[in-house]
Amino acid sequence: MAKLQLSGLGKRFGEVAAVSGVDLSLAAGEFVSLLGPSGCGKTTTLRMIAGFILPSEGSIAMDGAALSTAAGAVPPEKRRMSMIFQSYAIWPNMTVAENVAFGLKLRKLSRGEIAAKVERILGIVQLDRLKDRYPAELSGGQQQRVALARAMVIEPEVLLLDEPLSNLDANLREEMRFEIRRLHDAFRITTVYVTHDQAEAMVTSDRIVVMNQGRIEQVADPFALYNRPRTRFVAGFIGRTNFLEGTLAGGEIGFAGFALRADRFPEFAKLGRRVLFSVRPQSIGLRRALGNGGGWWVEGRVVKRAYLGEYWDYLVAPGAGGPPLRVAAPPGDIFEIEDKVWLEIDPQRVAHINEAS
Amino acid sequence: MTDLLPLRAPARADAALLPLLRRFEPAMLLWLALIALLLFLVVTPLFILVRQSFEAPEGAGYTLANYVTAFADRLHLRALGNSLLLGAGVALLAAIFAVPMAWAVARTDMPGKNLTRLLVLGAFVTPPYLGAIGWILLAGPNAGWLNKLWMAVTGAKAGIVNIFTFPGLILAIAAYSYPYIFVFTSAALELVSSEMEDAAHILGAGGWRTTLKVTLPLVWPAILGGLIITFLEAIALFGTPAIIGLPAHINVVTTQLWQFFEFPVQAEVAAAYAMPLLAVTALLFWVQRKSLGRKGYVSLTGKGGERRLIQLGAWRWALLGYTLIVGGISVLLPFAVLLQAAFSRAWGRGMSLANLTLRNFEYVLFVHNTAGQSIVHSFVYAAATASLAILLALAIAYIVSRRLVPMARALAFLCVAPFVIPGIVLAIGFYSAYAAPPVALYGTAALIILAFTTRFLPIAYTSCEAAMRSLNPEMEDAARIVGGGRFIALSRIVMPLLRKSIIAAWILVFIPATRELSAAIFLTAPNTQVMSVVLFDLSSEGNFEYLAALGGVLLVATVILVAVSFRLVGRDFMLRRS
């Protein structure tokens, strides 16, 4: 049985459908991210799971028991969940230890038990020496850790995180990503994580749910999501990509400025007349001369370049004109503007996007 | 985890039970109770007032006769004209007092800024009728201190100033209403970036030109807002026009309304006569809202650009002098003469040991048949008013900010609606609605407390709403998701976090409630006298020494309270724009 089951979940605010038709099932101990641009409905979905928002349609169930339907909902405090908020929502009138102990006190644990649990969790998030501080005396990262400790100390059935790192500076954000994943590996709490940052989602998650305009675009693990995006939105939202739009005719796919042999594409049979490929800049090789690999080769000309330290960013216009392709090349591969080059494209690393779906 | 067991049962609830869980959201019941209370406090008195204005005196059907009686009389119309003239004069003079001070404090290196703020605060917390008495002692014809000084210095036979004139009335009111304009203007000036002025300088504008052409126009909406508030305060004021205007045969709407209640009582005519006051107030508030909403060009974003103080050179002493003159007019001089009167056998006999006495305090505290009791009443009623208003305002602000019920905005509207009801009109409405049977509250403390609560509900609500808005809802969500119900979240998180704001709001209601006169004058009975009414009676009897002593008690109590609250919640909360 699924730990958490969202079925046909939808939420309307007046005329606007913030979320619609969301089906999702989480296994116990799974870490799932809701990823999407702002306004895509991810936070609304999370707040419905938490019980702060009543769904307009569909239902949410935990361990098979209904938590929310359009008709009514178990209130947040009775869901045995826990949540970390974008603002952290650390109560400034309580010390670190009091913040963490709050949920335990509500559960009527003995004083000794509370102290032991607080001590242990603060040790885990490395805040044991700051337990008598007030939140105003903590840095952003430390406040974040208090929020984590406070949410996890009650051993929730489900942990919800709402863009928890968006208020931290870049270095700390990177560090906390791994910290969140480490804590998940230690406790295996079923987790739903909302973010608009794809790197965050990819570091932390077992599976990523990409949302757009209130709907789920794709659910997949980070590797599949990046390499096998199923919709144009996912391909464009996760990482950078080149979209190639073409027409299949006479065994060749004609694109703007070049054509490719269709039979070299592994899923040749699935191609319709109109073809949309997504090719990552790193999946294209830049060569001085035509080689003899079994992939696709396209002649082109360098029109723009930028050196980004970790790689070169080239724009290469295909032979007979047409919109240039973006190519990421290793720092050592130096080409000048106007150089004639060959693009080597591995058909295995090209994602075919079925726009009908 | 056995300790989680109590929480487990509802989570396993059958889907059929869920609608029940939802229906039992207690906010709905609370909402109904609040609606009922607001109908009682705000809507009913106003409705009764309007209805009464169309009622024939014997209760025989509806008529327009009251309006004819109210507005056919030339004297009544002149009172109406006087009110408008008074409002305009007061607004203008208050702006002349306040705008230079606000600019000096906000934008220049004038010395003595803390003193200036203190003087403004002093003017703000002084009951206007007490200031008016002070000005009678200062500028009464011949006997007033200023006139005696003039005669002593020049040897003239008569004084030169007379407070019992129309300009005198304007001065005595403006001296206590200019803080509104000061607060609005200085708050706005503090948000204007120096870069705005630099831009004018770089194009070749000089210092004064920049101030007049760039800075002041930028804060014009704020000044306009202050002018409107001051105008409305002045036309709604009862005490000062009654104390200074009536002896000078200057009648205004509020004093005329009062006269309708002298024998023979013409309550229906009074109701009709109150309508223009109500209409003008509502209209001007609407205008203010509109004009503030439209001023998109105001650069009051609150961010961007540093603010540097303008170096005035020798001019800063001139500005300080101006500030001290205004402070002297509103606070220092009246307080000095009131203090003298409070400790004198007869105020006109001047400063001498023989004239010194504590008798006045003894009299008002222990001898006078209502004064001593009225002190207790004033503070008890004010405390009850503040508590009730804040409780109500907090509940509604919470419901509105969390959108717990449909149409929450309607509640908020009812809370701020009394803004447009002048105190004396509200009192007439309460009197008509609840004094007589079937409610029969006349002579009870409840009548006064409820009327005061209505009167100050807008202050309470705007403060509580601002406080609620300053609190991130996630603070509360965080308490709920770890297992606390709404009640726990409110009592353990929301209330402690808002403690300071709540205390501040309570004091903001308590202080005006201790001195409220216009709403009290119709509603107090001999056994429910409050200080303001006793002070008013003493003034009409000419007992200025007793009056000064009783006023002193009120002021000392106020000052202590303000000082204590500064300790508790920090400075500035009284002079903050809200």
Side-chain angles (χ1 to χ4, degrees):
Chain A
M1 185 172 22
K3 181 75 197 169
L4 196 61
Q5 178 75 47
L6 316 186
S7 317
L9 196 64
K11 177 68 192 177
R12 306 183 71 81
F13 293 108
E15 288 298 294
V16 187
V19 174
S20 53
V22 166
D23 291 300
L24 185 65
S25 158
L26 273 79
E30 198 179 13
F31 193 124
V32 170
S33 286
L34 305 183
L35 175 65
S38 61
C40 73
K42 56 192 192 296
T43 293
T44 304
T45 305
L46 192 78
R47 292 181 68 82
M48 282 195 277
I49 298 173
F52 291 120
I53 298 179
L54 194 69
S56 314
E57 59 209 35
S59 66
I60 300 169
M62 186 160 78
D63 297 329
L67 286 181
S68 292
T69 69
V74 175
E77 60 269 23
K78 301 207 166 143
R79 295 193 166 211
R80 290 167 292 135
M81 294 183 181
S82 199
M83 184 160 170
I84 293 172
F85 298 87
Q86 198 167 1
S87 67
Y88 315 149
I90 304 296
W91 303 306
N93 54 331
M94 302 182 193
T95 63
V96 168
E98 285 166 352
N99 262 283
V100 176
F102 187 85
L104 297 172
K105 282 185 191 154
L106 291 176
R107 284 164 177 69
K108 310 253 183 288
L109 267 62
S110 75
R111 200 177 283 270
E113 223 173 327
I114 292 176
K117 280 178 187 274
V118 170
E119 191 82 9
R120 177 163 166 268
I121 197 81
L122 286 180
I124 290 170
V125 297
Q126 298 153 22
L127 280 176
D128 26 0
R129 275 176 305 158
L130 302 178
K131 69 184 168 76
D132 294 321
R133 293 268 189 97
Y134 279 93
E137 301 161 334
L138 301 179
S139 69
Q142 288 165 340
Q143 290 189 25
Q144 178 67 72
R145 287 166 193 272
V146 176
L148 277 167
R150 186 178 70 184
M152 291 196 307
V153 74
I154 59 169
E155 297 168 44
E157 301 275 324
V158 174
L159 179 63
L160 309 171
L161 299 97
D162 182 12
E163 307 232 11
L165 305 184
S166 58
N167 287 327
L168 297 177
D169 63 53
N171 285 335
L172 205 51
R173 196 151 59 211
E174 206 153 317
E175 182 191 325
M176 288 305 293
R177 280 175 201 161
F178 290 101
E179 180 75 7
I180 286 171
R181 183 67 213 191
R182 178 180 75 86
L183 290 170
H184 181 256
D185 290 339
F187 291 94
R188 306 302 308 178
I189 300 171
T190 311
T191 302
V192 184
Y193 186 105
V194 159
T195 181
H196 64 268
D197 180 328
Q198 49 155 312
E200 237 170 83
M202 293 179 92
V203 168
T204 54
S205 313
D206 298 320
R207 281 191 302 156
I208 296 173
V209 179
V210 180
M211 292 184 70
N212 185 34
Q213 297 182 342
R215 297 183 169 276
I216 292 182
E217 291 272 339
Q218 188 172 356
V219 184
D221 63 72
F223 188 87
L225 201 63
Y226 188 84
N227 293 297
R228 288 276 167 262
R230 277 210 306 266
T231 68
R232 179 191 276 265
F233 176 82
V234 172
F237 189 74
I238 310 289
R240 303 184 312 156
T241 199
N242 296 294
F243 284 114
L244 305 179
E245 292 188 68
T247 315
L248 178 65
E252 275 201 333
I253 316 168
F255 298 97
F258 63 99
L260 302 174
R261 277 180 59 183
D263 60 358
R264 294 205 172 169
F265 188 67
E267 294 170 26
F268 168 60
K270 286 189 189 168
L271 294 180
R273 209 181 79 80
R274 296 193 53 78
V275 174
L276 177 62
F277 284 161
S278 159
V279 192
R280 301 290 180 191
Q282 328 50 318
S283 304
I284 305 177
L286 211 49
R287 313 282 176 249
R288 291 202 183 276
L290 180 63
N292 48 14
W296 286 319
W297 292 83
V298 176
E299 198 175 8
R301 170 175 64 86
V302 175
V303 291
K304 223 178 202 176
R305 65 173 194 178
Y307 179 59
L308 294 167
E310 289 177 19
Y311 61 91
W312 276 98
D313 193 26
Y314 290 108
L315 275 182
V316 179
L325 299 182
R326 177 155 266 132
V327 180
D333 292 5
I334 302 171
F335 297 88
E336 302 297 329
I337 303 234
E338 293 299 328
D339 275 5
K340 291 269 181 264
V341 290
W342 283 90
L343 301 173
E344 183 185 10
I345 302 170
D346 178 357
Q348 305 282 350
R349 297 174 69 188
V350 169
H352 170 230
I353 291 166
N354 186 353
E355 283 201 286
S357 69
Chain B
M1 296 253 325
T2 49
D3 45 273
L4 277 177
L5 271 178
L7 298 178
R8 210 168 265 277
R12 286 272 156 82
D14 195 72
L17 278 175
L18 290 175
L20 265 178
L21 284 168
R22 184 195 178 194
R23 216 169 291 153
F24 274 9
E25 172 77 89
M28 221 52 197
L29 287 174
L30 182 63
W31 187 72
L32 286 175
L34 290 172
I35 277 278
L37 195 52
L38 285 177
L39 286 178
F40 181 83
L41 288 176
V42 181
V43 179
T44 310
L46 211 56
F47 172 74
I48 299 262
L49 185 75
V50 174
R51 195 183 65 184
Q52 194 177 38
S53 75
F54 293 106
E55 271 174 357
E58 306 306 320
Y62 294 93
T63 171
L64 285 172
N66 300 322
Y67 284 88
V68 175
T69 316
F71 298 107
D73 191 324
R74 258 191 50 234
L75 289 175
H76 296 169
L77 286 177
R78 185 186 292 170
L80 202 60
N82 279 343
S83 271
L84 298 177
L85 204 59
L86 180 69
V90 167
L92 193 67
L93 184 59
I96 292 170
F97 283 162
V99 173
M101 280 169 86
W103 179 73
V105 166
R107 304 308 305 257
T108 74
D109 63 343
M110 182 188 78
K113 286 185 185 176
N114 280 338
L115 176 69
T116 307
R117 287 184 196 277
L118 205 63
L119 288 171
V120 175
L121 184 65
F124 188 61
V125 301
T126 304
Y129 48 83
L130 211 54
I133 302 294
W135 270 94
I136 290 178
L137 303 185
L138 279 167
N142 302 324
W145 285 103
L146 294 178
N147 286 326
K148 281 202 270 189
L149 186 69
W150 170 259
M151 290 187 276
V153 170
T154 62
K157 285 270 180 287
I160 52 154
V161 282
N162 182 2
I163 197 70
F164 294 107
T165 56
F166 204 83
L169 184 58
I170 290 176
L171 175 82
I173 298 175
Y176 303 97
S177 54
Y178 79 88
Y180 290 104
I181 301 184
F182 176 88
V183 170
F184 278 41
T185 309
S186 61
L189 280 170
E190 273 163 15
L191 290 176
V192 176
S193 150
S194 287
E195 288 173 3
M196 293 278 179
E197 293 168 337
D198 293 347
H201 287 311
I202 209 100
L203 294 172
W208 289 111
R209 203 185 154 95
T210 302
T211 296
L212 291 178
K213 296 268 173 187
V214 175
T215 316
L216 284 182
L218 277 174
V219 297
W220 170 240
I223 298 176
L224 185 68
L227 283 172
I228 290 177
I229 299 280
T230 314
F231 177 89
L232 293 176
E233 285 283 318
I235 63 170
L237 200 61
F238 170 72
T240 311
I243 292 169
I244 290 179
L246 288 184
H249 305 293
I250 301 166
N251 213 4
V252 295
V253 171
T254 50
T255 51
Q256 182 59 51
L257 280 171
W258 190 50
Q259 285 160 31
F260 284 131
F261 282 84
E262 288 171 347
F263 191 79
V265 174
Q266 297 172 280
E268 294 80 14
V269 179
Y273 193 65
M275 291 304 142
L277 197 56
L278 200 60
V280 167
T281 315
L283 180 75
L284 277 180
F285 262 110
W286 182 78
V287 166
Q288 190 206 2
R289 277 285 152 92
K290 280 274 153 187
S291 74
L292 284 183
R294 201 169 53 84
K295 301 294 180 186
Y297 68 83
V298 181
S299 64
L300 308 183
T301 56
K303 59 173 182 180
E306 44 150 2
R307 281 172 285 278
R308 271 172 285 104
L309 296 181
I310 295 165
Q311 308 290 320
L312 285 176
W315 280 102
R316 63 206 188 109
W317 299 107
L319 214 50
L320 179 63
Y322 184 78
T323 295
L324 290 177
I325 289 172
V326 175
I329 288 173
S330 67
V331 178
L332 302 176
L333 289 178
F335 277 33
V337 293
L338 282 171
L339 197 67
Q340 188 268 346
F343 288 98
S344 296
R345 290 177 191 281
W347 69 274
R349 270 194 249 150
M351 309 273 195
S352 73
L353 221 50
N355 197 21
L356 208 60
T357 181
L358 287 173
R359 197 177 53 102
N360 300 326
F361 289 94
E362 189 200 345
Y363 180 78
V364 296
L365 289 175
F366 306 113
V367 182
H368 189 279
N369 53 0
T370 51
Q373 211 185 18
S374 77
I375 299 173
V376 178
H377 285 163
S378 275
F379 287 110
V380 171
Y381 297 170
T385 297
S387 307
L388 187 58
I390 296 301
L391 215 61
L392 189 57
L394 268 179
I396 292 168
Y398 181 77
I399 289 179
V400 170
S401 71
R402 298 294 182 268
R403 298 203 188 91
L404 288 185
V405 293
M407 300 236 304
R409 291 261 118 220
L411 290 177
F413 175 77
L414 286 180
C415 278
V416 295
F419 254 137
V420 304
I421 311 175
I424 199 155
V425 177
L426 182 77
I428 297 172
F430 257 78
Y431 182 86
S432 305
Y434 302 130
V439 189
L441 285 178
Y442 188 71
T444 65
L447 180 64
I448 297 164
I449 293 168
L450 291 174
F452 281 15
T453 301
T454 309
R455 177 127 167 78
F456 299 115
L457 197 54
I459 302 180
Y461 182 74
T462 42
S463 309
C464 291
E465 198 238 14
M468 210 56 91
R469 218 168 342 118
S470 72
L471 186 71
N472 191 331
E474 290 187 348
M475 289 286 179
E476 193 188 331
D477 293 346
R480 296 197 67 191
I481 197 74
V482 297
R486 197 179 279 282
F487 179 74
I488 287 177
L490 280 173
S491 62
R492 305 269 289 275
I493 306 295
V494 176
M495 287 305 134
L497 288 177
L498 293 184
R499 207 191 74 223
K500 277 190 173 187
S501 314
I502 292 171
I503 294 174
W506 194 90
I507 290 165
L508 278 179
V509 174
F510 180 83
I511 287 179
T514 55
R515 77 261 325 265
E516 173 63 18
L517 174 63
S518 59
I521 196 104
F522 285 108
L523 301 176
T524 51
N527 60 329
T528 56
Q529 286 293 18
V530 292
M531 284 167 99
S532 54
V533 176
V534 173
L535 283 167
F536 182 71
D537 290 344
L538 286 172
S539 86
S540 48
E541 294 157 17
N543 286 320
F544 294 131
E545 295 82 6
Y546 297 151
L547 190 159
L550 186 58
V553 173
L554 175 60
L555 277 179
V556 167
T558 307
V559 168
I560 291 173
L561 193 75
V562 171
V564 167
S565 46
F566 276 5
R567 274 288 147 113
L568 282 176
V569 297
R571 301 179 49 167
D572 258 23
F573 78 94
M574 289 200 75
L575 291 182
R576 200 169 41 197
R577 178 180 178 173
S578 63

